[in-house]
Amino acid sequence: MKVLVTGAKGQLGTDVINELAKRGHVAIGVGVAEMDITDSAAVRRVMTEAAPEAVIHCAAWTAVDAAEDEENRAKVKAINVDGTENIAMVCQALGCKMMYISTDYVFDGLGEEPWKPDCTSYAPQNYYGQTKLDGERMVSGLLEKYFIVRVAWVFGKNGNNFIKTMLSLGKKYDTIRVVKDQIGTPTYTYDLARLLVDMVETEKYGYYHATNEGGYISWYDFACEIFKQAQYDTKVVPVTTAEYGLSKAERPFNSRLDKSKLTENGFKLLPSWEDALRRYLQDGSD
């Protein structure tokens, strides 16, 4: 299968390209230099020439706090909404599958119940979340052959992430503060890429949630396990979001994602987040 991957040099895109190649698929990776997704004519030209059977759309504006700045909002919308629409329109014209990577930020982040993939109680609490929801609507409104896959707490070898931040802080400080009242599950891009390719090889379209297994934890729990596995002596002090101090963008307290639809559709679940962390650290990604 010929698959075009946007954001190919990013944290997730790199792993998706590798996974596709490993399975013998033809992977066409594009970054902004090869295809500026905000330029509809460029998207139409590149995609028509490539003639993919599927598109895995990993490119996005993901700087959540910076998205709140007024001077960035037009660019955030251009990438997350208009860029997604440009791709979806060409997918529609070519009759190819489209996979859109989304986020739990499309919900309000409150309560303790895991969010179900087909839940439509959307209420983004920040601008990034709103643009990702608008992107979802572009895909579902234009296409029938689509996968919308929401993920949370993503980490991988090819980008900045929470683990790298913790290890960096752990080298500088004896004690750090980490929030204990935001709950979710980490997602390792290496494992996620395998699942995404599993999915795009099928016609089991629709909305899905995907993170590693191992239960729901806080950022504090994650930090403690990072230092334990990395054999750091850093002390972690649990604090509330309010005690930690405000960020520009509101963060969800509840990032629990219900992944039962993966099992129902015969997809293999991701390994536990502790196992994913161990493999990530073994690869020397610090």
Side-chain angles (χ1 to χ4, degrees):
M1 183 165 56
K2 190 190 286 187
V3 185
L4 185 137
V5 181
T6 68
K9 295 182 179 72
Q11 190 164 235
L12 176 58
T14 304
D15 286 339
V16 170
I17 291 280
N18 291 339
E19 182 65 27
L20 286 164
K22 198 187 297 179
R23 299 196 198 184
H25 294 301
V26 176
I28 305 163
V30 294
V32 68
E34 295 81 20
M35 187 180 86
D36 179 353
I37 65 171
T38 68
D39 181 340
S40 60
V43 171
R44 189 165 58 250
R45 184 183 69 253
V46 173
M47 286 183 60
T48 302
E49 285 176 8
E53 294 159 78
V55 174
I56 300 179
H57 181 30
C58 300
W61 176 294
T62 55
V64 177
D65 286 325
E68 295 297 310
D69 294 336
E70 200 59 46
E71 65 266 26
N72 290 332
R73 289 199 166 200
K75 190 173 184 184
V76 180
K77 178 182 179 293
I79 294 169
N80 288 356
V81 186
D82 304 338
T84 301
E85 181 183 23
N86 290 337
I87 293 165
M89 287 180 73
V90 183
C91 284
Q92 182 189 51
L94 297 176
C96 68
K97 308 173 186 181
M98 180 171 177
M99 176 174 281
Y100 176 71
I101 310 304
S102 194
T103 170
D104 65 284
Y105 280 47
V106 300
F107 303 116
D108 66 14
L110 301 175
E112 294 183 358
E113 280 294 307
W115 300 104
K116 293 187 181 295
D118 295 307
C119 171
T120 55
S121 300
Y122 305 122
Q125 297 299 293
N126 56 47
Y127 191 66
Y128 163 74
Q130 184 61 55
T131 62
K132 291 300 288 183
L133 174 59
D134 292 344
E136 286 190 10
R137 287 172 167 156
M138 291 298 176
V139 174
S140 63
L142 285 164
L143 301 171
E144 292 182 5
K145 298 194 293 187
Y146 68 85
F147 303 86
I148 291 173
V149 185
R150 300 193 189 104
V151 299
W153 297 19
V154 175
F155 69 92
K157 288 183 282 186
N158 302 289
N160 294 319
N161 58 61
F162 182 75
I163 303 171
K164 287 181 182 175
T165 301
M166 289 300 102
L167 294 175
S168 175
L169 290 172
K171 287 173 182 172
K172 294 177 187 172
Y173 304 105
D174 295 332
T175 304
I176 61 168
R177 303 186 313 149
V178 180
V179 294
K180 65 176 181 183
D181 55 357
Q182 297 175 23
I183 309 298
T185 314
T187 311
Y188 186 18
T189 55
Y190 178 87
D191 295 334
L192 178 61
R194 189 264 306 156
L195 173 64
L196 297 181
V197 177
D198 283 351
M199 295 173 81
V200 86
E201 288 175 340
T202 74
E203 281 75 47
K204 296 176 180 179
Y205 304 117
Y207 292 79
Y208 291 89
H209 288 165
T211 68
N212 281 88
E213 292 300 298
Y216 304 117
I217 59 168
S218 69
W219 287 112
Y220 164 76
D221 298 325
F222 194 19
C224 290
E225 184 65 21
I226 290 167
F227 291 131
K228 177 184 167 188
Q229 288 199 23
Q231 298 182 328
Y232 282 28
D233 294 326
T234 311
K235 183 183 178 187
V236 187
V237 177
V239 296
T240 64
T241 299
E243 288 169 337
Y244 188 79
L246 289 173
S247 53
K248 284 183 186 175
E250 267 194 61
R251 294 301 201 279
F253 290 100
N254 179 17
S255 293
R256 299 170 180 87
L257 294 177
D258 182 312
K259 294 160 290 187
S260 56
K261 193 172 174 183
L262 293 174
T263 305
E264 289 163 12
N265 282 279
F267 294 116
K268 184 181 173 187
L269 296 174
L270 278 57
S272 74
W273 64 267
E274 295 100 327
D275 177 67
L277 172 61
R278 183 165 54 253
R279 285 179 284 118
Y280 175 94
L281 293 172
Q282 282 171 351
D283 284 345
S285 304
D286 61 354

